[in-house]
């Protein structure tokens, strides 16, 4: 499993883009490059797309992918259970875990948003709970999200795919050829 710093950085990549988003994604790719080269490759390609698109287009693509009439839901509980009592139980459990770990939720965000679950996995929680959240929550949710985003040709498929590859056990090596790219440096 990747370390807490990489998990927190990955969480930042999957939240609504704020100023400096491409720079933070590039820093995440750099951190992941040694341990998870396939993840770093996807994130580097996401950075290139984000820089070329610019901040406004990146925000619009995020909204199209995850918010208004979304291509897919960025919520683990929604991906796993839909609108059900099981999701309500998951939300309650995640809130309790976050509180016990001393995490404050992002304003207006539900605790099952993929970025919030990644932050929770990076926090000091029991190892078996961390492994369950990754294996049974994040990985299957990210797989479903990736399929929907790739089908819609969303640039966010690169970010979600990078997150999935970062969490994959064992790590996935990048494929050689035109898809493998070095990390992109972004200056402020």
């Amino acid at each position: 499993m990747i370390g807490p710093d990489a998990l927190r950085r990955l969480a930042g990549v999957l939240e609504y883009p704020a100023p400096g988003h491409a720079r933070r994604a590039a820093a995440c790719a750099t951190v992941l490059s040694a341990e998870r080269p396939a993840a770093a490759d996807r994130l580097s390609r996401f950075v290139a797309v984000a820089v070329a698109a610019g901040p406004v287009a990146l925000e619009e693509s995020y909204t199209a992918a995850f918010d208004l009439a979304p291509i897919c839901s960025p919520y683990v509980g929604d991906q796993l259970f839909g609108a059900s009592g099981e999701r309500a139980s998951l939300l309650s459990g995640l809130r309790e875990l976050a509180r016990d770990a001393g995490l404050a939720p992002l304003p207006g965000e539900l605790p099952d948003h993929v970025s919030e679950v990644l932050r929770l996995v990076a926090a000091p929680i029991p190892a078996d709970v961390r492994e369950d959240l990754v294996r049974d929550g994040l990985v299957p949710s990210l797989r479903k999200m990736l399929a929907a985003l790739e089908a819609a040709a969303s640039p966010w498929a690169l970010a979600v795919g990078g997150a999935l590859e970062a969490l994959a056990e064992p790590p996935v090596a990048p494929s050689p050829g035109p898809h493998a790219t070095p990390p992109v440096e972004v200056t402020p």
Side-chain angles (χ1 to χ4, degrees), residues 97-114:
L97 271 172
R99 184 180 57 247
D100 291 349
L103 293 178
L106 288 178
E109 199 53 80
L110 293 173
D112 68 335
H113 190 284
V114 290

Side-chain angles (χ1 to χ4, degrees), residues 40-57:
D41 176 62
R42 279 205 191 224
L43 289 175
S44 293
R45 288 187 282 144
F46 171 73
V47 169
V49 169
V51 168
V56 172

Side-chain angles (χ1 to χ4, degrees), residues 3-185:
D5 179 55
L7 288 164
R8 284 188 291 273
R9 289 175 185 270
L10 203 51
V13 172
L14 295 178
E15 66 187 27
Y16 187 84
H21 196 83
R23 185 177 67 254
R24 287 188 299 280
C28 184
T30 299
V31 166
L32 290 170
S33 63
E35 278 187 83
R36 300 290 201 254
D41 176 62
R42 279 205 191 224
L43 289 175
S44 293
R45 288 187 282 144
F46 171 73
V47 169
V49 169
V51 168
V56 172
L58 187 62
E59 289 175 16
E60 289 172 354
S61 68
Y62 184 94
T63 300
F66 303 117
D67 287 340
L68 303 174
I71 294 167
C72 69
S73 170
Y75 298 98
V76 171
D78 196 35
Q79 290 294 335
L80 297 176
F81 309 118
S84 69
E86 292 167 310
R87 181 176 184 212
S89 295
L90 176 67
L91 288 168
S92 175
L94 291 172
R95 276 189 194 97
E96 184 177 336
L97 271 172
R99 184 180 57 247
D100 291 349
L103 293 178
L106 288 178
E109 199 53 80
L110 293 173
D112 68 335
H113 190 284
V114 290
S115 63
E116 292 296 301
V117 177
L118 282 163
R119 281 187 190 82
L120 181 58
V121 169
I125 61 173
D128 60 326
V129 174
R130 176 179 295 107
E131 291 166 12
D132 288 348
L133 283 172
V134 171
R135 182 189 61 242
D136 301 332
L138 283 166
V139 168
S141 297
L142 290 168
R143 279 191 182 121
K144 287 182 176 183
M145 292 170 63
L146 180 59
L149 293 166
E150 284 181 338
S154 169
W156 287 91
L158 291 167
V160 168
L164 181 58
E165 288 172 353
L167 297 173
E169 292 295 340
V172 179
S175 58
H179 299 292
T181 56
V184 175
E185 289 194 31

